Amino acid sequence: ITFLMKIADKSFPEAIKELAAKTGVVLPPVSSGKEGRQKDLLKEGVIHVNSKAAQQFSHILYTNAGVSARKYLQGRGISDEVIKQFRLGYAPDTWRSLTEYIEKSGLSLKLAEQAGLIIPGKEGSFYDRFRGRLIFPIENVFGEIIAFGGRILDKGEPKYLNSPESLVYIKGKNLYGLNKAKEEIRKKGFTLIVEGYFDLISLWNAGICNVVATLGTALTKDHLDLLRRYTVEVVALFDPDEAGKKALDRSLELFLSAEMRARALILPEKFDPDDYVRKFGKEKMEALISRAQSLSDYYIENVLGDGRTFEDKRDMLKTATEFIAK
């Protein structure tokens, strides 16, 4: 830092910013003024209450209340090591388990509400947002817990419930697993992008660790800006259904504008990444990844079509022109 300050005549903050940009280190935002400092304190409070909630969810997973969740994870072949690495937990199927824990811990219920952990009820009371769900803590690139995802174990809707956006959490600006995967991404030179918590955790469980997941939203420019700190090589691994293919189509323009080298991997029909890696294992999954097409080849072969009729060819020409313009 001192060397850069002297040789390039930079201030300390300027040198820090330049080095951070070169090495992929994410700097925390700096607020100024009284209002900015109050906002920072509020963010710290939300992260603190999230951390305490994650500890409680993790503790419950290993009590009698968490038996069904532990059996569910065992049934999916998830190891204890991975459960602990991702700080998985369980929210019991009661209305005030976490609310009571927060009260007893002397933490602020209003802060827990701002974190999206509890919901206001009647006459100033609160109840838990997550009930009867396996819990996935969501970390930012600093390893701070900023939100949670919850999967229901039995039948019911919604299958997945996520924290609402908050002062510390915007789903279009965060990627699940990035904090844990970033060193492996640098080492391997590319990252896999999947759509769900379990897709990521199953791949990690199989030993494929250069993987991140979107958080219930389509891929965004902010996601790619985050990834560019670590790599410009990406393999987009989406479900084989129509929704997965459409998500890949939408991603094409983003990858092009971000100047990232993207490849597309569509798994065989009826398999998502979680199913495939559990059935066929790490080696077959890695073989598929190594053969992934460039996104432009995928687009030409699967989106433009074969143009058998005059109308098809006319539509192809229009779509191809738009593609080349991008």
Side-chain angles (χ1 to χ4, degrees):
I1 294 166
T2 306
F3 173 78
L4 190 60
M5 286 168 69
K6 287 182 177 178
I7 200 166
D9 193 26
K10 290 183 181 290
S11 67
F12 180 79
E14 286 169 343
I16 288 287
K17 282 178 185 176
E18 184 172 329
L19 290 170
K22 284 183 176 178
T23 55
V25 173
V26 183
L27 296 176
V30 179
S31 301
S32 59
K34 186 179 178 183
E35 194 176 312
R37 287 192 293 274
Q38 285 175 339
K39 195 174 179 182
D40 284 347
L41 284 171
L42 194 53
K43 284 181 178 178
E44 284 174 22
V46 168
I47 287 166
H48 178 66
V49 79
N50 278 340
S51 176
K52 289 291 184 184
Q55 288 172 20
Q56 179 66 355
F57 290 140
S58 179
H59 166 72
I60 292 170
L61 180 64
Y62 289 96
T63 66
N64 288 337
V67 169
S68 59
R70 291 202 306 277
K71 283 183 179 175
Y72 179 83
L73 289 166
Q74 286 162 6
R76 296 189 74 145
I78 308 299
S79 70
D80 274 346
E81 184 187 352
V82 169
I83 290 169
K84 284 169 184 170
Q85 275 179 317
F86 284 89
R87 299 197 256 187
L88 302 188
Y90 180 65
D93 198 8
T94 59
W95 287 94
R96 286 180 50 82
S97 171
L98 184 65
T99 303
E100 287 172 2
Y101 169 76
I102 288 166
E103 282 180 313
K104 285 175 186 172
S105 301
L107 298 167
S108 162
L109 289 175
K110 279 290 179 189
L111 209 53
E113 182 193 355
Q114 286 180 296
L117 290 165
I118 59 176
I119 298 169
K122 293 177 182 176
E123 298 173 4
S125 64
F126 291 92
Y127 62 92
D128 298 354
R129 178 179 298 277
F130 299 102
R131 305 181 302 278
R133 290 178 182 270
L134 183 66
I135 298 294
F136 302 83
I138 298 164
E139 298 177 345
N140 61 17
V141 288
F142 309 114
E144 298 165 333
I145 295 172
I146 53 173
F148 296 89
R151 190 197 194 284
I152 202 158
L153 296 180
D154 301 315
K155 289 180 182 177
E157 293 295 332
K159 184 177 176 182
Y160 282 95
L161 179 67
N162 295 314
S163 296
E165 294 193 343
S166 70
L167 269 175
V168 298
Y169 174 59
I170 298 170
K171 59 188 177 183
K173 291 188 174 185
N174 289 279
L175 287 162
Y176 182 65
L178 179 57
N179 179 57
K180 289 183 170 53
K182 58 190 179 185
E183 292 309 318
E184 193 67 13
I185 290 168
R186 282 184 175 131
K187 200 186 296 180
K188 291 277 178 72
F190 74 98
T191 185
L192 288 164
I193 302 178
V194 297
E195 288 185 297
Y197 302 111
F198 261 118
D199 288 335
L200 182 144
I201 283 172
S202 290
L203 287 167
W204 190 281
N205 194 63
I208 299 171
C209 303
N210 55 324
V211 54
V212 298
T214 50
L215 291 155
T217 183
L219 206 60
T220 67
K221 180 183 179 296
D222 287 323
H223 287 148
L224 298 189
D225 287 344
L226 253 185
L227 282 175
R228 277 186 65 87
R229 297 171 186 271
Y230 310 103
T231 185
V232 293
E233 302 272 354
V234 172
V235 175
L237 209 163
F238 290 110
D239 292 350
D241 58 16
E242 277 307 305
K245 288 177 182 177
K246 282 177 182 173
L248 201 52
D249 299 341
R250 286 194 303 269
S251 303
L252 175 65
E253 189 172 349
L254 280 174
F255 286 123
L256 287 169
S257 62
E259 296 183 0
M260 295 183 82
R261 292 190 285 274
R263 292 183 289 148
L265 177 55
I266 299 290
L267 295 175
E269 291 296 331
K270 298 180 182 175
F271 284 104
D272 61 20
D274 172 37
D275 296 330
Y276 191 90
V277 78
R278 282 197 288 144
K279 183 164 184 178
F280 298 107
K282 178 185 179 183
E283 285 184 13
K284 286 201 172 180
M285 176 61 89
E286 286 186 327
L288 279 182
I289 292 165
S290 69
R291 296 196 297 271
Q293 285 180 297
S294 76
L295 208 56
S296 53
D297 285 349
Y298 165 83
Y299 186 86
I300 290 162
E301 289 179 22
N302 297 279
V303 179
L304 290 185
D306 54 14
R308 290 180 183 176
T309 68
F310 173 78
E311 287 79 12
D312 284 345
K313 288 178 180 175
R314 182 187 60 199
D315 292 342
M316 274 176 65
L317 185 60
K318 182 176 180 292
T319 310
T321 305
E322 290 169 0
F323 172 62
I324 291 164
K326 290 171 188 173

